[in-house]
Amino acid sequence: GENVEQHPSTLSVQEGDSAVIKCTYSDSASNYFPWYKQELGKRPQLIIDIRSNVGEKKDQRIAVTLNKTAKHFSLHITETQPEDSAVYFCAAFETSYDKVIFGPGTSLSVIP
Amino acid sequence: DAGITQSPRHKVTETGTPVTLRCHQTENHRYMYWYRQDPGHGLRLIHYSYGVKDTDKGEVSDGYSVSRSKTEDFLLTLESATSSQTSVYFCAISEWRGSSSSYEQYFGPGTRLTVT
């Protein structure tokens, strides 16, 4: 089955700097890659996603890139703000099975 | 919040006792999921359902069973709770958004279960 790895497990950045979180997946059949943000004590929420036929997608300060050949995908947050502090999860999804497999998460701290 | 509720929200139980967690949704979603969340492990899929009485195992199904007798309810049962099942349990539904080609999972508020 699918296995998703995520690095780093913790990340601290100064406010205004960029943050990058990297994930790898194992199943070449996976074709959809969402990213979730979970604030302390709250439920995970989708922030951005990318499909396998797209190499990059951007939404304001957040961007995601995908390299299907290498089975890598990354989340980029620019101009970080304290409210970006949270745990971020990447995930991989093979749409015909309707199962999302999550990475272990990255705890991001943005220092004012 | 996609109309998802979980009950109870918090529970403390003793080792060896049975426990049932309930997930309820009001928007007639076909797919429902149970995850557990533990530090360092992220969200791990326990069981999922793709319709009434249609369920399948996830990554960490041992020690858990599920039932879905109605579209709106998905029950997770720990037949004999163990300390290793102390965790936060999230229910989720999935919804395909054709307009944006996204397959979003909406999570319930979570249930914090402690097994002593």
Side-chain angles (χ1 to χ4, degrees), chain A residues 32 34 36 38 42-46 49 51 57 89 93 95 97-105, chain B residues 1 4 31 33 35 37 40-43 45 48 57 59 90 96 101-105 107-109:
Chain A
Y32 174 67
Y36 285 79
Q38 185 179 27
K42 297 189 176 180
R43 70 192 81 186
Q45 292 191 301
L46 180 71
D49 55 18
R51 292 187 65 83
K57 183 177 179 181
F89 294 99
F93 185 32
T95 52
Y97 290 113
D98 292 304
K99 288 193 292 186
V100 180
I101 302 299
F102 288 84
Chain B
D1 64 359
I4 307 169
Y31 289 90
Y33 307 80
Y35 292 90
Q37 184 173 32
H41 292 280
L43 292 152
L45 182 65
Y48 68 106
K57 296 179 180 180
E59 306 167 81
F90 285 100
W96 171 251
S101 296
S102 66
Y103 200 96
E104 182 163 358
Q105 284 199 313
F107 288 85

Side-chain angles (χ1 to χ4, degrees), chain A residues 12-19 61 77-81 84 110:
Chain A
S12 291
V13 299
Q14 290 292 136
E15 181 177 358
D17 287 351
S18 295
R61 296 186 295 108
I77 306 174
T78 59
E79 301 173 20
T80 53
Q81 301 168 3
D84 294 329
V110 179

Side-chain angles (χ1 to χ4, degrees), chain A residues 3-50:
Chain A
N3 181 52
V4 178
E5 296 185 354
Q6 184 172 347
H7 299 281
S9 57
T10 59
L11 179 60
S12 291
V13 299
Q14 290 292 136
E15 181 177 358
D17 287 351
S18 295
V20 180
I21 302 170
K22 298 183 178 182
C23 290
T24 61
Y25 63 99
S26 61
D27 189 348
S28 57
S30 290
N31 54 10
Y32 174 67
F33 306 91
W35 286 87
Y36 285 79
K37 174 183 180 182
Q38 185 179 27
E39 297 176 350
L40 189 63
K42 297 189 176 180
R43 70 192 81 186
Q45 292 191 301
L46 180 71
I47 56 170
I48 195 168
D49 55 18
I50 191 167

